[in-house]
Amino acid sequence: MKNYHLALISICLLLLSACVQPLKYVGEKSTPTASVDVVTSANDIKKPHKVVGHLTIDRYSPDIMKKYLAKEAKKYGADAIVVPSDSAMKAMHGKLTVDVLKYE
């Protein structure tokens, strides 16, 4: 019975580790921010800004991708990220790369 529980726990841990969202960031790093604006176009941002990096994530549901992208962008000091629309993200295949912005 103990071996059964050990095997079950091992399988559960393996499944949980498979759910981790692998993200890759390339760009400038600064002090982490408390919040990140998630927009579908850089034109939606009225403040002066510049692209400071790019985040790449594997394709999942739009809500999951936006959640993990925003969380990761805060770590690198981003003020905003530019993501495609939900319908565009649903139609995509493979990885998604988004712009990471810093307000000037």
Side-chain angles (χ1 to χ4, degrees):
M1 191 61 134
K2 287 184 180 181
N3 288 338
Y4 172 75
H5 287 125
L6 182 61
L8 185 60
I9 290 171
S10 297
I11 290 171
C12 288
L13 290 174
L14 180 63
L15 291 175
L16 284 174
S17 67
C19 294
V20 173
Q21 307 297 315
L23 292 156
K24 181 180 177 187
Y25 179 73
V26 176
E28 298 174 19
K29 298 175 185 175
S30 59
T31 306
T33 52
S35 65
V36 171
D37 296 327
V38 179
V39 298
T40 56
S41 170
N43 294 330
D44 294 339
I45 300 172
K46 303 304 177 201
K47 302 174 186 178
H49 60 275
K50 65 177 183 172
V51 175
V52 293
H54 303 283
L55 267 169
T56 302
I57 188 172
D58 288 331
R59 190 179 112 41
Y60 297 94
S61 75
D63 289 339
I64 290 173
M65 286 191 286
K66 286 189 271 189
K67 174 185 167 186
Y68 282 100
L69 287 165
K71 182 178 177 181
E72 193 72 10
K74 285 190 268 187
K75 292 179 187 177
Y76 296 108
D79 293 315
I81 56 174
V82 181
V83 301
S85 67
D86 285 357
S87 59
M89 283 196 273
K90 287 178 184 174
M92 298 174 101
H93 300 284
K95 296 182 183 291
L96 168 69
T97 299
V98 301
D99 289 338
V100 176
L101 309 177
K102 188 77 178 160
Y103 298 144
E104 296 178 348

